[in-house]
Amino acid sequence: MPQNTATFASTSLDQPASTATSASSTSEPPPGTANASSTYLCIECTYPVTSLYTPYSNADDRALGRGVRLTQCPRCKGFADKYVEHDFVVLFIDLVLMKPQVYRHLLFNRLGREDDQFDPSILRLGILLLLFDVYLTWARIEKEAPLNAQMRSNYNLLTRQPIVLQYLFFLLLCTTESLLSHLLIRLLTRLFSFPRPNAVSTALLVSSCTKLFPILMVIWDYDVPAAAKSVGWAVVVNNVEALRILLGVGYFWAAGLALVGALVRGWVEWGGWCGLGWEEI
């Protein structure tokens, strides 16, 4: 097993450093370990398993990776979830590549909860994505407004306001379109009798990590409107994959749900709510 297996297994699963070496001393097993009330999924074949790895109390040499052993799937005979020993960089790359295995790891084995409560890390991710959305939307409008007569006068009126009010305007705009798209998709998932609406929002946020790519704007100068449009459609495609895996439906229904959310976002921007009249998603 790789050298960092035991180390990451404790940090990525939010357990103390001593958990892997003394699992029997806690009243509840850490996430990913055996628990009679929890069921995980094999990320390869979706077969239910009761644990993702097994900690050993007598293997305290964590530098040699002796703390845990990954669970083998009874059906496909592979590791039930290899991502428990991978760091965030690998997860992010596989998210961008839309690998089904990483979505199963995050949505079912890592972030999924039986009480359908948001994981704290998802709330932080949602705030981060919202701030990136505000920055990208503001930068795009600054580039487009002087070239569009329909939105030029309204945008000039906005630019005469204090900078704080301008920021609050874009913050309210992005918050409104995000909330409306999430609420509508959550409502539509009731058609599939899906009982966990917060899991739907989790899937949408996780699959929206592509929005973080505009951070490259601080390094390279490129066409902001074109980049924003490309990122918007990339997010929609990732939403399709996440909804398909979470709901267990085909691409047709998942694409329909994702497109409904995209249309709602476009309507908020284009349909007169803000008065600026831009049309990109």
Side-chain angles (χ1 to χ4, degrees):
M1 186 174 293
Q3 179 176 351
N4 66 339
T5 299
T7 303
F8 181 72
S10 63
T11 56
S12 65
L13 296 174
D14 298 325
Q15 64 185 75
S18 60
T19 301
T21 60
S22 59
S24 60
S25 64
T26 58
S27 58
E28 295 183 1
T33 58
N35 188 339
S37 62
S38 299
T39 300
Y40 304 96
L41 292 181
C42 172
I43 62 173
E44 301 293 342
C45 65
T46 69
Y47 189 78
V49 294
T50 57
S51 65
L52 302 179
Y53 67 93
T54 303
Y56 292 94
S57 58
N58 60 346
D60 53 0
D61 191 354
R62 301 171 60 82
L64 298 179
R66 295 176 180 173
V68 299
R69 183 178 67 182
L70 297 182
T71 300
Q72 186 180 41
C73 175
R75 176 191 286 174
C76 66
K77 305 305 179 182
F79 289 138
D81 193 341
K82 62 183 179 181
Y83 286 107
V84 297
E85 62 176 357
H86 291 169
D87 56 23
F88 175 75
V89 175
V90 176
L91 295 178
F92 181 76
I93 293 174
D94 285 355
L95 278 174
V96 174
L97 296 176
M98 294 188 298
K99 291 188 176 182
Q101 292 86 349
V102 71
Y103 280 112
R104 295 188 187 113
H105 163 74
L106 291 172
L107 300 180
F108 295 104
N109 296 340
R110 177 72 181 275
L111 302 174
R113 298 178 55 172
E114 295 180 357
D115 57 1
D116 194 35
Q117 297 298 313
F118 283 114
D119 187 272
S121 60
I122 285 297
L123 298 178
R124 293 192 293 268
L125 176 62
I127 295 174
L128 179 64
L129 291 176
L130 178 61
L131 296 179
F132 267 83
D133 214 6
V134 171
Y135 170 70
L136 186 59
T137 301
W138 198 345
R140 172 163 52 87
I141 298 308
E142 281 188 341
K143 295 285 186 178
E144 287 184 338
L147 305 177
N148 191 322
Q150 183 178 359
M151 59 188 298
R152 186 183 302 124
S153 59
N154 290 334
Y155 182 72
N156 289 338
L157 177 63
L158 177 64
T159 55
R160 289 195 291 268
Q161 307 303 317
I163 191 68
V164 174
L165 291 181
Q166 295 183 47
Y167 184 84
L168 291 177
F169 171 83
F170 286 105
L171 178 63
L172 181 59
L173 170 65
C174 295
T175 303
T176 301
E177 64 182 30
S178 295
L179 288 177
L180 287 180
S181 62
H182 276 241
L183 289 175
L184 184 56
I185 293 177
R186 286 160 60 114
L187 180 62
L188 291 176
T189 55
R190 294 289 186 178
L191 299 176
F192 304 100
S193 301
F194 190 74
R196 297 187 293 133
N198 284 342
V200 175
S201 292
T202 296
L204 294 174
L205 290 173
V206 166
S207 58
S208 298
C209 286
T210 313
K211 288 183 179 180
L212 301 179
F213 273 116
I215 191 63
L216 299 176
M217 293 175 65
V218 302
I219 305 175
W220 292 292
D221 186 20
Y222 54 84
D223 188 352
V224 175
K229 189 173 184 178
S230 300
V231 168
W233 284 112
V235 168
V236 173
V237 173
N238 280 270
N239 289 164
V240 171
E241 185 68 12
L243 291 172
R244 182 187 71 86
I245 292 173
L246 177 69
L247 302 177
V249 298
Y251 280 108
F252 176 80
W253 293 108
L257 291 172
L259 287 176
V260 166
L263 291 175
V264 169
R265 293 174 63 89
W267 173 79
V268 172
E269 294 187 358
W270 177 253
W273 183 89
C274 59
L276 288 178
W278 57 84
E279 59 187 17
E280 285 81 359
I281 294 175

